Amino acid sequence: SLKRKTYKIRPKKMNATKEISAIIKKLREEKKISQNELTKMVFGDEKRNNSISRIELGNQENIHFENVFKTLKALDIDLIKLIKSKI
């Protein structure tokens, strides 16, 4: 008979970038704002739609903090309150 290996599934620990990314995506969806609409709010046009997508994925190493800050501001999220709520 064949023995099956069993693996325990451990929840991945989120780093700060992924956590902020998840918050941005959740709040954007709660406010029923599309990525295109948010792009217009943050950058003034739709040409940088990939920026919002990259911010929400949180995979990119070199996301500019200024873009994250602008995105949070467009969603009416106070960064300081957000940080304090996580401490």
Side-chain angles (χ1 to χ4, degrees):
S1 76
L2 296 173
K3 289 186 179 181
R4 286 187 162 175
K5 285 187 176 182
T6 57
Y7 299 93
K8 290 184 180 179
I9 298 174
R10 295 181 186 162
K12 292 182 180 178
K13 186 176 180 183
M14 274 196 198
N15 64 28
T17 303
K18 291 250 185 209
E19 193 167 345
I20 290 172
S21 299
I23 290 167
I24 288 172
K25 183 175 182 177
K26 179 183 174 209
L27 291 171
R28 178 185 60 77
E29 290 174 345
E30 284 177 2
K31 293 178 183 226
K32 297 181 177 24
I33 299 172
S34 71
Q35 284 185 344
N36 283 339
E37 291 170 321
L38 185 56
T39 300
K40 286 183 207 174
M41 293 165 66
V42 174
F43 303 109
D45 59 35
E46 292 182 21
K47 294 177 185 175
R48 297 182 62 186
N49 192 42
N50 288 339
S51 294
I52 297 298
S53 179
R54 284 193 303 267
I55 289 169
E56 287 186 357
L57 288 173
N59 291 340
Q60 191 174 348
E61 294 289 324
N62 61 348
I63 293 175
H64 295 261
F65 179 76
E66 182 181 357
N67 292 340
V68 173
F69 183 76
K70 286 180 182 178
T71 304
L72 291 169
K73 188 174 180 181
L75 291 169
D76 291 326
I77 302 168
D78 184 313
L79 180 59
I80 302 304
K81 286 182 184 176
L82 177 64
I83 292 169
K84 286 182 178 180
S85 74
K86 298 295 175 182
I87 295 176

